[in-house]
Amino acid sequence: MEPGDNVYIVDDLISTGGTLVGLVSAVRKAGAEVSGILCVVEKRSYGGAGRVFEATGISVQSLIEVDVSGEHSVVVGVNY
């Protein structure tokens, strides 16, 4: 990664968003710009996408939203 590069972050799973906030910070510190974030699965009840937006100003797109608050995981949204 070089200063001035545009980076699109792809992650497999977002829960609390802490990893993505740190990654965006590292990319920006290196002088690159984050063009967007895509996660395959989002644990929606954990609120990570909202935390990432609050901390970075970048919306997280997710393909599948799941609820893991009960005994079983349930798919609650499909965005593809």
Side-chain angles (χ1 to χ4, degrees):
M1 179 171 40
E2 302 279 331
D5 282 352
N6 288 311
V7 176
Y8 206 98
I9 298 171
V10 179
D11 200 356
D12 60 341
L13 176 71
I14 179 172
S15 295
T16 64
T19 299
L20 288 171
V21 170
L23 187 53
V24 169
S25 176
V27 168
R28 288 176 172 168
K29 190 176 284 188
E33 181 178 326
V34 178
S35 300
I37 300 172
L38 173 69
C39 289
V40 177
V41 178
E42 175 186 349
K43 292 181 181 178
R44 190 164 67 178
S45 59
Y46 283 51
R51 285 188 193 94
V52 170
F53 183 77
E54 288 174 12
T56 68
I58 301 170
S59 295
V60 176
Q61 297 175 311
S62 59
L63 298 179
I64 300 168
E65 300 171 17
V66 296
D67 179 10
V68 293
S69 60
E71 187 174 311
H72 303 284
S73 297
V74 178
V75 174
V76 294
V78 178
N79 306 312
Y80 59 88

